[in-house]
Amino acid sequence: MGRDFWEASRVIEQALDAIDHTGDTRMPDTRKIAAMNRARGLADRMIALAAVYTDLVARSGATEKTAGTPLSDYLALTEGRSSSEANGLVHQAGRITADPAVRDAALAGTVSPGKAAAAGAVLRELPRHDMSEAQREAAAGALLEQAIGGATTRQISRSADRVLEQVAPELAPTAAGRAAEAERRRQRALRERELNFAEDGRGSVRFWGRLPETEGDLLRTVIGACVERGRGDERRELETLKAQKVSGELSSGEYFAARTALQEREHRSTGQRQADAMVDMVTTLQDQDNIPAAGGEAPRVVVTLDYMGLLQLAVDAAATGFRPDGSLLDEVSATRLQAALTGASETGADVSASQVRIACCDAGILPLVLGDQSEILDVGREHRLVTPQIRKTLALRDTGCIFPGCTVPAQACQAHHVTPWWAGGPTSIDNLVLVCRHHHGVIEPHRYDPAADQWRITFDDTGRPHVHPPRRLRADLSPGGNDRENSAQNRTKATAAPEVMPARGHIQKQQENSAHRPDTGAQDPLIA
């Protein structure tokens, strides 16, 4: 004879309290897996049990009667849940208990709560009032058979027509009817599509929305492919680093530094990888100049002043909404100017120094710097974003990300100013390199700490770039040693090379050439 709920629940609590976890780590791996499966199975049964009583409370209106509060609000208040989460629990409970057979299967642990809820949702879609009792039971049995047979929750939720054809063919929709219903769903999904953005107050932008199934599946597939490609790139990059260490192309210190940087990417969660993939997709469109200019033109300011005066006028333009010549500055341009030049977002939230540096790389501010007599001082600063010709040359020279061992191809890389744009660096082939989005943040010079020990990029006599790791990660160099002298002991100075050089993964330290403009003369302390 079964026990009542209160007696049984006390037994369950006592059993949970009695579990000894001190020996868990000493379990053989097979026992650990078995313990996990057992615990997860018990948890599923408890979720189903909670759903049964949640639905019982919902049907009886118990919380309204005793607490004057609807069930979803009661769960949100007493359990610290969001309103949407609490509503979801109530709806899931109703689906799990929609049919006695489905409910009992969930309580027994035969099917998971998720599959039981999917089966219950399908049963609610069927024309149950036009079906006989035997047909309703047969439909529940068919859905449980799918669930036990390994069908996914999504497959179960899409099987209404197939189940109806199986148990009540006279009620199943015709091909024309299914097509009409599919078109109605499509049109409804198109009307309900949305994408929303909101600041979360913690330095992030939260976004949510929905797409029609076709477009949503496409987005999910593309992002998934990008994630898998990233995992493959990491595996190949690790093998490349190992090979370079064995061959002597990378010293122990350089290998350790590059391996440390790679580990940061390897340890990303799937959610983080998907977020990065979406950012990479947008960045690729931007780098390929496939994003339309706001207001019909790219953001730019043209004045005949010294550079510092130009920067101040650009800030004023962002604040007033007008260019120095009196023309109206579109909202997007003003926002970009303010974010890049003042370090403040449109919401007033502070932007970190690293974000400001990256923003300056992408802001598209296009000053033409003139001297006192209006002579052109630096034509290389006329355009902030690289031209198609420069982009093509970079791809031929670097072939992809130049960071040691990185295998990200050129089309997925960003053009990086070695001497930053904000420090006066020109947009020219001898001041640009290709780096992937991740390594762009690693090598970006520190704006407010010029002496920071970090990754650096230099150019050799042939104009090819080379990457230098931070001194604190280069265990092979003696303290205070000279980069050029030490590197000369390990590598032969490069000679003339063919026009196309596979720069990825090569760190050949030669005589360092400044990336400054030739007319500046003095060393700029902001340049890494």
Side-chain angles (χ1 to χ4, degrees):
M1 182 175 179
R3 298 172 174 175
D4 69 6
F5 171 79
W6 300 108
E7 182 182 359
S9 63
R10 281 193 294 271
V11 172
I12 293 171
E13 286 182 340
Q14 292 170 359
L16 291 174
D17 292 339
I19 296 176
D20 182 6
H21 295 284
T22 58
D24 288 352
T25 57
R26 296 191 296 272
M27 284 185 187
D29 288 342
T30 54
R31 294 287 289 174
K32 290 176 184 175
I33 295 172
M36 176 192 70
N37 291 335
R38 177 71 64 85
R40 295 184 68 82
L42 292 173
D44 278 350
R45 296 184 68 180
M46 290 303 299
I47 290 174
L49 181 63
V52 168
Y53 283 99
T54 300
D55 187 64
L56 180 63
V57 171
R59 291 177 184 277
S60 64
T63 56
E64 287 92 338
K65 296 173 185 176
T66 61
T69 306
L71 176 56
S72 59
D73 293 326
Y74 179 86
L75 292 175
L77 290 170
T78 59
E79 298 182 4
R81 299 180 184 274
S82 66
S83 296
S84 59
E85 185 182 7
N87 274 317
L89 291 175
V90 175
H91 289 307
Q92 183 190 48
R95 291 191 292 268
I96 290 175
T97 58
D99 181 88
V102 174
R103 176 202 62 201
D104 292 345
L107 288 171
T110 307
V111 298
S112 68
K115 291 185 178 182
V122 170
L123 289 172
R124 287 183 171 181
E125 292 179 24
L126 300 180
R128 304 192 71 183
H129 296 296
D130 297 326
M131 299 168 64
S132 66
E133 183 64 28
Q135 287 175 327
R136 289 195 292 268
E137 292 178 357
L143 288 166
L144 288 174
E145 197 174 300
Q146 286 186 53
I148 297 171
T152 65
T153 301
R154 189 179 186 188
Q155 290 170 335
I156 294 172
S157 65
R158 294 184 169 187
S159 62
D161 288 348
R162 186 169 68 253
V163 169
L164 199 57
E165 290 173 353
Q166 180 180 342
V167 303
E170 70 280 5
L171 299 176
T174 63
R178 285 196 296 270
E181 177 59 25
E183 182 59 26
R184 283 193 294 271
R185 288 199 302 267
R186 169 72 179 173
Q187 293 304 316
R188 182 175 64 243
L190 285 171
R191 290 192 301 271
E192 295 176 348
R193 72 190 186 279
E194 59 177 333
L195 181 60
N196 305 288
F197 298 88
E199 304 288 340
D200 70 350
R202 299 187 300 171
S204 298
V205 175
R206 184 171 62 91
F207 56 93
W208 69 97
R210 52 184 167 182
L211 293 171
E213 286 185 351
T214 301
E215 289 78 1
D217 287 341
L218 174 62
L219 179 62
R220 182 163 46 196
T221 300
V222 171
I223 289 179
C226 292
V227 168
E228 291 307 311
R229 185 188 68 181
R231 288 193 172 101
D233 287 343
E234 289 161 16
R235 290 192 294 270
R236 288 187 290 273
E237 187 172 333
L238 177 58
E239 293 304 316
T240 300
L241 289 174
K242 290 179 178 178
Q244 291 175 336
K245 183 176 183 295
V246 171
S247 67
E249 189 174 356
L250 287 180
S251 64
S252 296
E254 291 165 348
Y255 171 80
F256 174 74
R259 184 72 182 91
T260 300
L262 177 59
Q263 284 177 340
E264 295 180 8
R265 292 159 57 200
E266 291 175 325
H267 293 164
R268 291 176 296 169
S269 67
T270 298
Q272 289 172 327
R273 289 176 181 274
Q274 291 180 162
D276 291 345
M278 181 170 289
V279 173
D280 287 341
M281 290 163 59
V282 175
T283 303
T284 298
L285 287 175
Q286 183 184 49
D287 288 345
Q288 294 177 352
D289 201 23
N290 286 327
I291 295 180
E297 64 175 49
R300 65 192 181 99
V301 177
V302 180
V303 291
T304 56
L305 291 174
D306 65 283
Y307 189 55
M308 294 307 297
L310 173 61
L311 288 179
Q312 184 58 54
L313 284 178
V315 174
D316 292 342
T320 63
F322 291 92
R323 295 187 177 92
D325 62 0
S327 61
L328 181 65
L329 187 69
D330 64 271
E331 184 178 355
V332 173
S333 298
T335 300
R336 288 178 177 172
L337 285 173
Q338 184 173 0
L341 299 175
T342 71
S345 69
E346 65 272 18
T347 63
D350 292 337
V351 179
S352 68
S354 62
Q355 286 176 298
V356 173
R357 293 196 300 272
I358 297 298
C360 287
C361 280
D362 297 325
I365 304 167
L366 310 178
L368 179 62
V369 183
L370 303 178
D372 294 336
Q373 305 302 319
S374 293
E375 74 275 14
I376 296 177
L377 298 179
D378 192 349
V379 177
R381 291 188 57 78
E382 180 178 359
H383 295 285
R384 165 62 191 86
L385 301 180
V386 299
T387 64
Q389 294 81 2
I390 292 178
R391 178 81 193 195
K392 182 177 180 180
T393 303
L394 285 172
L396 290 172
R397 186 193 70 190
D398 298 345
T399 76
C401 179
I402 67 166
F403 198 86
C406 186
T407 58
V408 174
Q411 62 268 26
C413 288
Q414 301 171 342
H416 165 72
H417 286 70
V418 176
T419 301
W421 179 260
W422 47 259
T427 301
S428 59
I429 192 65
D430 58 356
N431 189 47
L432 292 166
V433 294
L434 290 182
V435 287
C436 66
R437 184 194 59 79
H438 173 75
H439 289 133
H440 198 163
V442 173
I443 66 173
E444 185 70 27
H446 198 300
R447 184 169 189 172
Y448 301 108
D449 185 8
D453 181 28
Q454 62 184 74
W455 290 86
R456 298 177 298 109
I457 296 176
T458 60
F459 293 87
D460 63 22
D461 293 333
T462 66
R464 287 170 293 181
H466 301 283
V467 185
H468 305 266
R471 180 169 295 279
R472 61 184 179 274
L473 294 178
R474 295 162 63 185
D476 60 317
L477 296 181
S478 58
N482 180 277
D483 289 358
R484 287 169 286 180
E485 293 175 356
N486 280 280
S487 62
Q489 297 174 6
N490 298 323
R491 295 172 181 81
T492 304
K493 184 174 180 180
T495 57
E499 180 180 355
V500 180
M501 176 187 175
R504 285 181 288 168
H506 293 273
I507 306 180
Q508 299 175 341
K509 305 188 193 80
Q510 286 100 16
Q511 181 79 22
E512 297 184 1
N513 288 343
S514 171
H516 306 151
R517 295 170 299 176
D519 58 304
T520 59
Q523 295 287 319
D524 188 335
L526 290 176
I527 298 173

